[in-house]
């Protein structure tokens, strides 16, 4: 742990990231770890350099989304593993958007992985590790007050726009956006409540398949022990044109 990290007050620690108090009120510092977990913490490991790459990849994608008018929590990247973000109240819902069948959808409904969906599907999961993030419907979300119907509409339309934009962006670098997970937060601005994209967008929470070979270029390589995990994250960064000079050296230095 470096000096910059230890002198800040730790606000929250998740499986892949740590949040620290930011320099200004209403800001946080988001630190990206190399730790990887799967199946709700059952499988644990390290992906060397992942934090450095996810910091860059998420920065790149959030900036691009900001340019098309999607409000995000991202402010600026501070160093190899940290970015400054706006502090939001996280809505306890994981939004999954799917274009191609994979993962839990393939398992739950017995549809072969790789089946192209007739249209994009949005699913909601209640963010609660102790329960294994159970799937919920909009009815549960509004009845239990996790989000109101207006907020949920906004979350749906932002998620679909993000899907349209990112599908095109990834296709441009030879990757199919199979599915991904988003998290949103609330931000008060001059008495107005905004829904803001939060968390991260990276190969940790997207499925990305090579257009030509269908090779998996995301955390499924870790989940399924497919090997070449680090290489997949590096390849995504390379294709986006944001591969840092020497990610392994930097990763070790900052670890
Ligand atoms: P799933 O097929 O396992 O439900 O995952 C769908 C997408 O959501 C996939 O891109 C991985 C991502 N995801 C997360 O980011 N966090 C999670 O806890 C889970 C279960 C999935």
């Amino acid at each position: 742990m470096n000096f910059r990290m230890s002198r800040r007050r730790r606000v929250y620690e998740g499986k892949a990231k740590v949040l620290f108090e930011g320099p200004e009120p209403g800001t946080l510092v988001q630190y990206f770890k190399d730790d990887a977990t799967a199946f709700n913490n059952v499988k644990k490991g390290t992906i060397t350099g992942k934090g450095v790459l996810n910091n860059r990849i998420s920065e790149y994608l959030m900036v691009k989304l900001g340019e098309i008018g999607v409000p995000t929590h991202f402010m600026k990247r501070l160093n190899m593993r940290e970015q400054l973000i706006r502090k939001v109240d996280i809505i306890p819902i994981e939004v999954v958007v799917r274009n191609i069948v994979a993962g839990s959808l393939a398992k739950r409904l017995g549809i072969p992985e790789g089946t192209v969906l007739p249209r994009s599907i949005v699913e909601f999961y209640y963010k609660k590790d102790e329960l294994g993030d159970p799937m919920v419907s909009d009815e549960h979300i509004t009845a239990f007050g996790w989000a109101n119907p207006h907020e949920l509409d906004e979350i749906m339309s932002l998620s679909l726009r993000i899907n349209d934009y990112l599908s095109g962006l990834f296709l441009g670098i030879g990757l199919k956006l199979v599915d991904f997970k988003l998290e949103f937060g609330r931000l008060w601005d001059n008495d107005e409540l905004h829904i803001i994209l939060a968390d991260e967008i990276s190969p940790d929470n997207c499925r990305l398949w090579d257009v030509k070979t269908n090779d998996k270029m995301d955390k499924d390589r870790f989940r399924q022990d497919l090997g070449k995990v680090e290489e997949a994250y590096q390849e995504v960064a390379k294709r986006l044109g944001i591969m840092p000079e020497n990610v392994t050296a930097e990763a070790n230095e900052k670890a």
Side-chain angles (χ1 to χ4, degrees):
M1 196 189 285
N2 65 35
F3 175 70
R4 289 172 67 86
M5 260 187 83
S6 48
R7 74 181 168 164
R8 289 199 188 107
R9 197 171 70 86
R10 194 177 282 244
V11 178
Y12 173 83
E13 177 148 13
K15 285 173 276 194
K17 295 187 292 293
V18 188
L19 295 177
F20 296 93
E21 213 166 51
E24 309 286 340
T27 66
L28 293 173
V29 172
Q30 179 165 253
Y31 176 94
F32 289 76
K33 300 190 274 187
D34 283 351
D35 298 352
T37 64
F39 316 115
N40 200 23
N41 236 343
V42 169
K43 183 180 168 79
K44 290 193 183 91
T46 306
I47 303 173
T48 307
K50 171 172 85 78
V52 173
L53 294 172
N54 283 357
N55 187 20
R56 296 263 174 156
I57 294 169
S58 198
E59 169 193 21
Y60 181 86
L61 298 175
M62 292 257 180
V63 167
K64 289 277 182 194
L65 287 167
E67 286 168 7
I68 63 153
V70 173
T72 83
H73 74 163
F74 180 83
M75 295 171 77
K76 70 171 191 179
R77 190 166 59 79
L78 297 172
N79 54 52
M80 292 299 278
R81 286 188 183 269
E82 294 176 321
Q83 50 181 241
L84 187 66
I85 57 168
R86 260 177 263 279
K87 186 177 182 175
V88 298
D89 295 324
I90 290 285
I91 295 169
I93 299 298
E94 300 198 348
V95 182
V96 170
V97 184
R98 300 180 186 272
N99 300 303
I100 298 174
V101 175
S104 69
L105 180 62
K107 207 169 169 187
R108 196 171 58 245
L109 301 185
I111 304 170
E113 183 176 89
T115 307
V116 177
L117 290 164
R119 62 174 175 82
S120 302
I121 290 176
V122 180
E123 297 172 347
F124 302 112
Y125 295 85
Y126 180 40
K127 204 171 140 62
K128 196 92 182 154
D129 275 346
E130 309 91 280
L131 302 175
D133 298 346
M135 193 183 201
V136 292
S137 77
D138 51 353
E139 289 280 295
H140 301 98
I141 295 171
T142 53
F144 293 120
W146 298 323
N148 67 38
H150 173 73
E151 290 171 331
L152 204 50
D153 279 353
E154 182 69 7
I155 287 170
M156 274 291 273
S157 74
L158 282 172
S159 299
L160 291 170
R161 270 188 72 207
I162 293 166
N163 183 42
D164 281 348
Y165 179 78
L166 291 185
S167 293
L169 183 148
F170 280 117
L171 210 52
I173 55 167
L175 294 171
K176 288 189 243 185
L177 181 58
V178 172
D179 57 33
F180 58 98
K181 186 263 288 183
L182 300 173
E183 292 183 29
F184 293 90
R186 294 185 185 94
L187 186 69
W188 284 98
D189 180 27
N190 288 330
D191 279 353
E192 240 185 281
L193 184 62
H194 296 276
I195 300 290
I196 305 277
L197 178 64
D199 192 46
E200 71 178 298
I201 309 181
S202 71
D204 266 17
N205 51 25
C206 296
R207 284 196 174 93
L208 299 164
W209 294 356
D210 183 82
V211 167
K212 290 201 193 103
T213 62
N214 273 336
D215 278 352
K216 295 179 177 171
M217 310 278 283
D218 54 62
K219 202 168 105 177
D220 268 353
R221 300 204 73 84
F222 167 79
R223 291 190 190 97
Q224 301 170 6
D225 295 316
L226 299 176
K228 295 207 159 103
V229 185
E230 281 85 359
E231 288 85 345
Y233 283 71
Q234 288 171 19
E235 179 63 21
V236 173
K238 268 185 209 152
R239 290 196 196 184
L240 289 170
I242 54 168
M243 180 67 186
E245 289 280 299
N246 188 343
V247 65
T248 315
E250 293 275 5
N252 290 336
E253 182 195 313
K254 294 277 178 190

